[in-house]
Amino acid sequence: MMAAATTVRERKFLPEPLSGVDAEGVFEGYASLFGEADLGKDVVMPGAFRDSLKKRAAAQVRLLWQHDPAQPIGRWLSIAEDLRGLRVRGRLNLAVERARDIHALMRDGAVDGLSIGFRVERARAERPTGLRRLERLDLWEISVVTFPMLPGARVETVKQAPPKLATHIRSAAVRLFS
């Protein structure tokens, strides 16, 4: 007699809610990580977004909910490649009901995924591994999602106060209470 196979579903959540979400809904994170295979066996290579970012400013890349073009939820303030991947900073438009919902879910730690929408301009397949190396992409949207295709593509920080402002506040406090 064969034992029935059991499937164990693994779930990962943020270790702590993003309780620092500011009133403006500004957040930061990585929408893509270089050199890491996603669940579809795609690997984005360093420089893949370079040409796209030269021709399209952050404001022209759409910020959507779950890749749904009928659900824009804000705008991207900055998008840039660094050594790790595609670093993004966005602002949820809290005048939009769906964005307010997502804002609340981010604050609670229930939603933190990011996912890119793109057109492949150049890629190469690796037969032995089955991976597809994405070398040049035309980036047209980045979505906040429940389940990102690249598990490491996440909202990491939520803007609270600019570091310069925090430094000034600490300096003033030292002067006042010394």
Side-chain angles (χ1 to χ4, degrees), residues 72-74 92-104:
I73 55 171
L92 297 171
N93 181 338
L94 300 179
V96 175
E97 183 177 357
R98 172 64 70 193
R100 286 192 305 273
D101 293 343
I102 294 162
H103 184 246

Side-chain angles (χ1 to χ4, degrees), residues 28-90:
E28 297 178 12
Y30 279 91
S32 181
L33 300 171
F34 297 139
E36 290 191 22
D38 70 12
L39 299 174
K41 294 191 172 187
D42 282 341
V43 179
V44 176
M45 304 305 294
F49 301 102
R50 184 180 308 119
D51 293 342
S52 185
L53 294 176
K54 282 181 184 175
K55 70 180 179 184
R56 186 175 294 121
Q60 295 172 315
V61 175
R62 299 296 170 231
L63 170 50
L64 304 177
W65 170 242
Q66 306 283 18
H67 298 291
D68 184 347
Q71 293 195 59
I73 55 171
R75 65 185 178 96
W76 293 109
L77 303 173
S78 66
I79 302 172
E81 286 189 340
D82 64 17
L83 294 175
R84 186 170 177 216
L86 189 66
R87 182 88 180 153
V88 297
R89 185 168 164 256

Side-chain angles (χ1 to χ4, degrees), residues 22-175:
D22 70 4
E24 296 175 5
V26 177
F27 64 95
E28 297 178 12
Y30 279 91
S32 181
L33 300 171
F34 297 139
E36 290 191 22
D38 70 12
L39 299 174
K41 294 191 172 187
D42 282 341
V43 179
V44 176
M45 304 305 294
F49 301 102
R50 184 180 308 119
D51 293 342
S52 185
L53 294 176
K54 282 181 184 175
K55 70 180 179 184
R56 186 175 294 121
Q60 295 172 315
V61 175
R62 299 296 170 231
L63 170 50
L64 304 177
W65 170 242
Q66 306 283 18
H67 298 291
D68 184 347
Q71 293 195 59
I73 55 171
R75 65 185 178 96
W76 293 109
L77 303 173
S78 66
I79 302 172
E81 286 189 340
D82 64 17
L83 294 175
R84 186 170 177 216
L86 189 66
R87 182 88 180 153
V88 297
R89 185 168 164 256
R91 174 178 287 139
L92 297 171
N93 181 338
L94 300 179
V96 175
E97 183 177 357
R98 172 64 70 193
R100 286 192 305 273
D101 293 343
I102 294 162
H103 184 246
L105 291 168
M106 280 181 167
R107 288 181 61 107
D108 194 43
V111 171
D112 69 337
L114 294 172
S115 184
I116 56 176
F118 57 90
R119 184 176 60 82
V120 176
E121 293 184 339
R122 187 174 67 225
R124 61 184 162 82
E126 289 184 358
R127 291 195 189 274
T129 62
L131 296 175
R132 182 172 68 151
R133 303 267 176 197
L134 305 176
E135 297 173 341
R136 190 167 66 217
L137 301 173
D138 182 23
L139 179 69
W140 47 274
E141 66 94 0
I142 303 169
S143 287
V144 175
V145 296
T146 309
F147 300 109
M149 203 56 167
L150 179 63
R154 301 285 175 171
V155 172
E156 290 184 345
T157 61
V158 181
K159 185 175 189 247
Q160 294 179 19
K164 206 176 214 181
L165 178 59
T167 302
H168 289 303
I169 292 170
R170 279 193 287 276
S171 296
V174 167
R175 285 193 308 269

